[in-house]
Each structure stands twice: as structure tokens, then as C-alpha cells.
Amino acid sequence: MEIALHNIKANDWEFSTVLSSEDIIGITGADYEEFLEILSLEKLPEGNININENEVTSENYLEYYQQISFIKKEFTKMNYLNTVKEHMDYIINYYHLQIKNIEKKEKDSLKIVGLDETLLNRNITTLSKSEKKKVELAIGLLSNPDIIILDDPFRFLDNKSRKRMIMVLRKLKEQFHKLIIIGTTDEDVLYQYTDKMLFLKNKRIFLEVGTEEGYERVDYLKRNGFAIPERVLFTYKAIKKKKVKIEYHKDIRDIIKDVYKHV
């Protein structure tokens, strides 16, 4: 799966980029939420957009729009819907999804994100913040989207739930070739869980680079107002202050081993 966006102009944004399902894409910057809205194609922006080398036009726009699932930061409960199932049924009917066995599809979607089928009859208001996050992703999977955009997906999740969520996303990428895009200002999440980064500044793509390579450019990012992941900053300070040659690692255990060995 690949989406190519060239000479895109929308809400003062101007950018070009090519995003592929070969990587989990991370996006950060003060205006990242606006950027995600543009990527979600909720409105067709000015410019050239190709999905899998097929041009998106005003005539076929809705067809491609339905291939994208945008999992927003907060779960939006509709006033006239109560249970998880009612929300799932609404999405299926609203988008006219062609599903042979609706009950099985809904149960399978919950199972994929690590939730029991008994949640179908739970009222949304009784769910924890973590459960709502997972339900929102499960609902987003009902349409079998090719592109999944997630706004701050690990918010409210404990470490165990985070690991479960990233396992789900990596499975969707690797086995089903979904394009996964994560937007957040939580730099530690981005450093640990993404493969490629888009750093945004002044409504432009300031830097597009591999995640590890990008965050290891500590001085450059700091000068331009970007936060640095804690584990990167720790390693950076150890290198600067102790004058030792240790490597940057995503796994904190590897950092500890290096520090113990060299410092």
C-alpha cells in the first residue's frame, strides 16, 4: 500500500510526500492534527494524490475515502447510541459496508484488539479510557481499511496495552500490508514504535527521515523546537558528559547494558 501526495495545498499547508506500508509512519509537530485531517481525505485537497498508483479525483474520491480509517484522539459517543454494538452497527449501515456475517465481523474486530465479545452489549459510558481506545480501533477495522491513521493511539494505555496495540498494528502492516500512520507529540512513543518520521513545522514537512536516524540528530531537532525522547536524551547526555562511545537504543535494557559497560 502506498499513498503519494504531490504539491498538496490545504489550510495554508504545502507539502509533498510518499508514504508506504513498508514502514509504520510517525508524525509530530505543533500542527500534526491538521496534517492528519488532510491525510484522512475528509476533504479532497488541492494537488495530486495517488493511492497504489491510481489517481484520486473528485469522481472516485468517495471510493478511496472509504479505504481510510481515521482513529481520532477522543471517542465520540453519539447521543442516540448506547452500546458498543449499536455504534458498530451504525458504522456498518452508514458506510453501507458489505459484510456477510455482521455479528462475526464485530466479534472478530474486538478480538483483534484484545477485547472480549461480551463488550458488544456494554454501554460506552461504562468503558474505561483504555477500553474506549481499543473499541475505537475495532470500529475502525470494520471497513477493512487499507490506510489506518491514528491520533495519539497510546493515550490512556498502560504498558501492557501499548505492547498489545503495537503488536496489532505491526500485524496489520506486515501480514495485511496496511499503511499505519501515528500522529502524536509523545516523542517516546514515536521513537519506540515507528519506522519513519515526518517532523512538521510552520505547516510544512520540515524533516522526513528514518525514526532512529532522525531522533539521533539531537542538536538539530532541539534547535528547531522539537522534543527529544527521554531514552535518546539520556544516551546523548552520557555521550557528551562522559565522552564514551555508546549506541542509541530503543530498548531501555540495551541502554542500561551499554552504560554499565562503558560508564
Side-chain angles (χ1 to χ4, degrees), residues 151-166:
D151 184 354
D152 209 4
F154 301 107
R155 192 182 185 199
F156 305 128
L157 300 185
D158 58 26
N159 286 335
K160 184 177 180 180
S161 296
R162 283 187 179 195
K163 289 178 181 178
R164 170 72 188 186
M165 181 74 81
I166 197 62

mmCIF file of all heavy atoms in Angstrom, residues 151-166:
data_model
loop_
_atom_site.group_PDB
_atom_site.id
_atom_site.type_symbol
_atom_site.label_atom_id
_atom_site.label_comp_id
_atom_site.label_asym_id
_atom_site.label_seq_id
_atom_site.Cartn_x
_atom_site.Cartn_y
_atom_site.Cartn_z
ATOM 1 N N ASP A 151 -4.624 9.076 15.822
ATOM 2 C CA ASP A 151 -4.243 10.279 16.550
ATOM 3 C C ASP A 151 -4.031 9.919 18.013
ATOM 4 O O ASP A 151 -4.981 9.584 18.719
ATOM 5 C CB ASP A 151 -5.338 11.337 16.405
ATOM 6 C CG ASP A 151 -4.963 12.672 17.052
ATOM 7 O OD1 ASP A 151 -3.903 12.736 17.714
ATOM 8 O OD2 ASP A 151 -5.731 13.637 16.896
ATOM 9 N N ASP A 152 -2.777 9.971 18.458
ATOM 10 C CA ASP A 152 -2.411 9.703 19.851
ATOM 11 C C ASP A 152 -2.997 8.379 20.349
ATOM 12 O O ASP A 152 -3.705 8.339 21.366
ATOM 13 C CB ASP A 152 -2.909 10.855 20.726
ATOM 14 C CG ASP A 152 -2.042 11.066 21.957
ATOM 15 O OD1 ASP A 152 -1.016 10.380 22.084
ATOM 16 O OD2 ASP A 152 -2.409 11.907 22.793
ATOM 17 N N PRO A 153 -2.726 7.260 19.653
ATOM 18 C CA PRO A 153 -3.398 5.984 19.945
ATOM 19 C C PRO A 153 -3.048 5.346 21.280
ATOM 20 O O PRO A 153 -3.802 4.512 21.770
ATOM 21 C CB PRO A 153 -2.953 5.083 18.793
ATOM 22 C CG PRO A 153 -1.623 5.630 18.392
ATOM 23 C CD PRO A 153 -1.759 7.117 18.557
ATOM 24 N N PHE A 154 -1.894 5.716 21.870
ATOM 25 C CA PHE A 154 -1.480 5.049 23.109
ATOM 26 C C PHE A 154 -1.852 5.847 24.355
ATOM 27 O O PHE A 154 -1.495 5.471 25.461
ATOM 28 C CB PHE A 154 0.023 4.781 23.074
ATOM 29 C CG PHE A 154 0.428 3.928 21.906
ATOM 30 C CD1 PHE A 154 1.101 4.475 20.830
ATOM 31 C CD2 PHE A 154 0.113 2.585 21.867
ATOM 32 C CE1 PHE A 154 1.465 3.701 19.737
ATOM 33 C CE2 PHE A 154 0.467 1.792 20.785
ATOM 34 C CZ PHE A 154 1.144 2.354 19.715
ATOM 35 N N ARG A 155 -2.569 6.931 24.171
ATOM 36 C CA ARG A 155 -3.031 7.746 25.292
ATOM 37 C C ARG A 155 -3.954 6.913 26.171
ATOM 38 O O ARG A 155 -4.836 6.207 25.684
ATOM 39 C CB ARG A 155 -3.785 8.957 24.748
ATOM 40 C CG ARG A 155 -4.092 10.035 25.757
ATOM 41 C CD ARG A 155 -4.872 11.137 25.075
ATOM 42 N NE ARG A 155 -5.101 12.259 25.954
ATOM 43 C CZ ARG A 155 -6.046 13.166 25.748
ATOM 44 N NH1 ARG A 155 -6.837 13.073 24.699
ATOM 45 N NH2 ARG A 155 -6.208 14.171 26.580
ATOM 46 N N PHE A 156 -3.756 6.962 27.453
ATOM 47 C CA PHE A 156 -4.538 6.245 28.478
ATOM 48 C C PHE A 156 -4.204 4.751 28.565
ATOM 49 O O PHE A 156 -4.770 4.044 29.400
ATOM 50 C CB PHE A 156 -6.050 6.385 28.257
ATOM 51 C CG PHE A 156 -6.534 7.800 28.163
ATOM 52 C CD1 PHE A 156 -7.322 8.215 27.104
ATOM 53 C CD2 PHE A 156 -6.211 8.722 29.153
ATOM 54 C CE1 PHE A 156 -7.770 9.522 27.023
ATOM 55 C CE2 PHE A 156 -6.660 10.028 29.077
ATOM 56 C CZ PHE A 156 -7.436 10.432 28.004
ATOM 57 N N LEU A 157 -3.306 4.253 27.719
ATOM 58 C CA LEU A 157 -2.993 2.828 27.748
ATOM 59 C C LEU A 157 -1.799 2.562 28.661
ATOM 60 O O LEU A 157 -0.812 3.298 28.636
ATOM 61 C CB LEU A 157 -2.674 2.311 26.340
ATOM 62 C CG LEU A 157 -3.773 2.433 25.280
ATOM 63 C CD1 LEU A 157 -3.315 1.758 23.998
ATOM 64 C CD2 LEU A 157 -5.092 1.844 25.755
ATOM 65 N N ASP A 158 -1.877 1.479 29.444
ATOM 66 C CA ASP A 158 -0.725 1.081 30.248
ATOM 67 C C ASP A 158 0.274 0.356 29.348
ATOM 68 O O ASP A 158 0.011 0.124 28.160
ATOM 69 C CB ASP A 158 -1.151 0.204 31.430
ATOM 70 C CG ASP A 158 -1.903 -1.051 30.993
ATOM 71 O OD1 ASP A 158 -1.703 -1.527 29.846
ATOM 72 O OD2 ASP A 158 -2.699 -1.566 31.791
ATOM 73 N N ASN A 159 1.431 0.003 29.890
ATOM 74 C CA ASN A 159 2.484 -0.607 29.079
ATOM 75 C C ASN A 159 2.039 -1.901 28.418
ATOM 76 O O ASN A 159 2.365 -2.167 27.247
ATOM 77 C CB ASN A 159 3.733 -0.858 29.932
ATOM 78 C CG ASN A 159 4.490 0.422 30.252
ATOM 79 O OD1 ASN A 159 4.397 1.396 29.506
ATOM 80 N ND2 ASN A 159 5.219 0.437 31.352
ATOM 81 N N LYS A 160 1.290 -2.716 29.147
ATOM 82 C CA LYS A 160 0.819 -3.985 28.592
ATOM 83 C C LYS A 160 -0.111 -3.736 27.412
ATOM 84 O O LYS A 160 -0.007 -4.392 26.362
ATOM 85 C CB LYS A 160 0.095 -4.793 29.676
ATOM 86 C CG LYS A 160 -0.353 -6.163 29.212
ATOM 87 C CD LYS A 160 -0.999 -6.940 30.353
ATOM 88 C CE LYS A 160 -1.465 -8.324 29.880
ATOM 89 N NZ LYS A 160 -2.096 -9.085 30.984
ATOM 90 N N SER A 161 -1.021 -2.770 27.570
ATOM 91 C CA SER A 161 -1.967 -2.461 26.494
ATOM 92 C C SER A 161 -1.258 -1.829 25.303
ATOM 93 O O SER A 161 -1.626 -2.057 24.148
ATOM 94 C CB SER A 161 -3.065 -1.526 27.010
ATOM 95 O OG SER A 161 -3.836 -2.160 28.018
ATOM 96 N N ARG A 162 -0.230 -1.030 25.584
ATOM 97 C CA ARG A 162 0.551 -0.428 24.495
ATOM 98 C C ARG A 162 1.218 -1.505 23.649
ATOM 99 O O ARG A 162 1.195 -1.460 22.417
ATOM 100 C CB ARG A 162 1.622 0.503 25.057
ATOM 101 C CG ARG A 162 1.115 1.858 25.522
ATOM 102 C CD ARG A 162 2.277 2.760 25.888
ATOM 103 N NE ARG A 162 1.816 4.068 26.305
ATOM 104 C CZ ARG A 162 2.588 5.134 26.404
ATOM 105 N NH1 ARG A 162 3.879 5.035 26.126
ATOM 106 N NH2 ARG A 162 2.100 6.300 26.793
ATOM 107 N N LYS A 163 1.820 -2.472 24.329
ATOM 108 C CA LYS A 163 2.501 -3.546 23.611
ATOM 109 C C LYS A 163 1.512 -4.350 22.776
ATOM 110 O O LYS A 163 1.811 -4.744 21.642
ATOM 111 C CB LYS A 163 3.232 -4.456 24.604
ATOM 112 C CG LYS A 163 4.454 -3.797 25.228
ATOM 113 C CD LYS A 163 5.132 -4.710 26.236
ATOM 114 C CE LYS A 163 6.347 -4.041 26.869
ATOM 115 N NZ LYS A 163 6.998 -4.904 27.884
ATOM 116 N N ARG A 164 0.324 -4.580 23.339
ATOM 117 C CA ARG A 164 -0.717 -5.300 22.605
ATOM 118 C C ARG A 164 -1.141 -4.509 21.364
ATOM 119 O O ARG A 164 -1.284 -5.055 20.273
ATOM 120 C CB ARG A 164 -1.928 -5.528 23.517
ATOM 121 C CG ARG A 164 -3.171 -6.049 22.818
ATOM 122 C CD ARG A 164 -3.044 -7.492 22.401
ATOM 123 N NE ARG A 164 -4.163 -7.907 21.586
ATOM 124 C CZ ARG A 164 -4.374 -9.147 21.175
ATOM 125 N NH1 ARG A 164 -3.547 -10.104 21.553
ATOM 126 N NH2 ARG A 164 -5.400 -9.447 20.426
ATOM 127 N N MET A 165 -1.302 -3.199 21.544
ATOM 128 C CA MET A 165 -1.741 -2.345 20.438
ATOM 129 C C MET A 165 -0.707 -2.319 19.320
ATOM 130 O O MET A 165 -1.049 -2.439 18.138
ATOM 131 C CB MET A 165 -2.002 -0.926 20.938
ATOM 132 C CG MET A 165 -2.493 0.036 19.868
ATOM 133 S SD MET A 165 -4.203 -0.247 19.398
ATOM 134 C CE MET A 165 -5.039 0.618 20.735
ATOM 135 N N ILE A 166 0.573 -2.176 19.678
ATOM 136 C CA ILE A 166 1.592 -2.110 18.631
ATOM 137 C C ILE A 166 1.739 -3.462 17.941
ATOM 138 O O ILE A 166 2.022 -3.534 16.728
ATOM 139 C CB ILE A 166 2.950 -1.609 19.176
ATOM 140 C CG1 ILE A 166 3.851 -1.150 18.020
ATOM 141 C CG2 ILE A 166 3.671 -2.662 19.988
ATOM 142 C CD1 ILE A 166 3.315 -0.001 17.210
#
